[in-house]
Amino acid sequence: MNILAICGSLRKKSTNMGLLRYAQANAPTGSTITIADLSAIPFYNADLTEKPVAVVQLLQQIQTADALILGCPEYNYSIAPALKNVLDWASREPENALLSGKPVALMGAGGGMGTSRAQYHLRQVCVCLNLHPLNKPEVFANAFTNAFDADGNLVDEKTQGNIKTQLAALIEWASQLKK
């Protein structure tokens, strides 16, 4: 199973990127997790006559992915612009072909409630895009505790276990949706 992970934070030491790095390093047997690079993705603009190269590459990654993992930071109680921007670009493909019906897992690290508010907003966006989010288990991590080291790497065993459980559930969910 080919899984594409997309992080809504662009910081190298992002705790949300740390969640995705942990997921990538612990991909279940028979699966690979690639983390997309959003650093060169411009804001979606319908006036652009040609897609930038970075966008074309990202859209190809989404197309070939069997499932997605969205690392969802919370900015002002909502979705980070970098993550929403990727979904906006991908949704503009004819008939939403890149996203429609694709299974997706959500995870995020943020303040006291993790990124629960942003993830619930993201679930609303998933409905519009016909993405199929995994309902449980949910992964919310507090980014301002000792769950992460100074480089944003996940070191909390409970959260690590939650991610492993979510990855197994995502693969099962994706397999069910393919039937």
Side-chain angles (χ1 to χ4, degrees), residues 8-73:
S9 176
L10 302 176
R11 292 183 312 111
K12 290 184 193 294
K13 294 183 179 182
S14 159
T15 53
N16 284 280
M17 185 61 82
L19 295 174
L20 297 181
R21 283 191 304 266
Y22 183 82
Q24 183 181 47
N26 291 276
T29 303
S31 66
T32 59
I33 298 174
T34 302
I35 299 176
D37 178 6
L38 305 187
S39 62
I41 304 293
F43 280 110
Y44 173 75
N45 181 345
D47 289 339
L48 293 176
T49 56
E50 290 187 36
K51 291 180 193 115
V53 172
V55 170
V56 171
Q57 291 170 341
L58 177 64
L59 296 180
Q60 288 171 343
Q61 287 181 301
I62 293 171
Q63 182 176 12
T64 60
D66 298 308
L68 302 174
I69 301 171
L70 302 179
C72 181

Side-chain angles (χ1 to χ4, degrees), residues 8 15-16 48 55 60 68 78 95 104 111 121 164 170 172:
T15 53
N16 284 280
L48 293 176
V55 170
Q60 288 171 343
L68 302 174
S78 193
E95 299 183 32
V104 59
H121 282 184
K164 288 177 182 178
L170 176 62
E172 178 63 28

Side-chain angles (χ1 to χ4, degrees), residues 19 48 61 77 94 108 111 121 123 126 129 142 148 173 179:
L19 295 174
L48 293 176
Q61 287 181 301
Y77 291 3
H121 282 184
R123 285 179 182 278
C126 288
L129 300 177
N142 189 320
F148 297 89
W173 179 237
K179 293 179 183 177

Side-chain angles (χ1 to χ4, degrees), residues 68-167:
L68 302 174
I69 301 171
L70 302 179
C72 181
E74 185 168 297
Y75 292 6
N76 301 315
Y77 291 3
S78 193
I79 307 164
L83 180 56
K84 179 67 166 63
N85 186 49
V86 167
L87 297 173
D88 291 342
W89 272 109
S91 70
R92 297 313 190 263
E93 290 301 295
E95 299 183 32
N96 190 32
L98 298 182
L99 300 175
S100 186
K102 197 162 291 233
V104 59
L106 311 178
M107 60 178 66
M113 294 172 47
T115 61
S116 59
R117 292 173 287 226
Q119 286 191 40
Y120 293 138
H121 282 184
L122 184 53
R123 285 179 182 278
Q124 291 173 325
V125 173
C126 288
V127 169
C128 179
L129 300 177
N130 199 34
L131 282 164
H132 293 288
L134 178 68
N135 287 328
K136 293 192 181 213
E138 296 176 304
V139 175
F140 305 114
N142 189 320
F144 305 104
T145 64
N146 59 358
F148 297 89
D149 67 17
D151 292 322
N153 296 308
L154 179 63
V155 295
D156 178 65
E157 290 181 13
K158 181 178 178 190
T159 306
Q160 291 171 346
N162 290 343
I163 289 174
K164 288 177 182 178
T165 301
Q166 187 184 61
L167 292 174

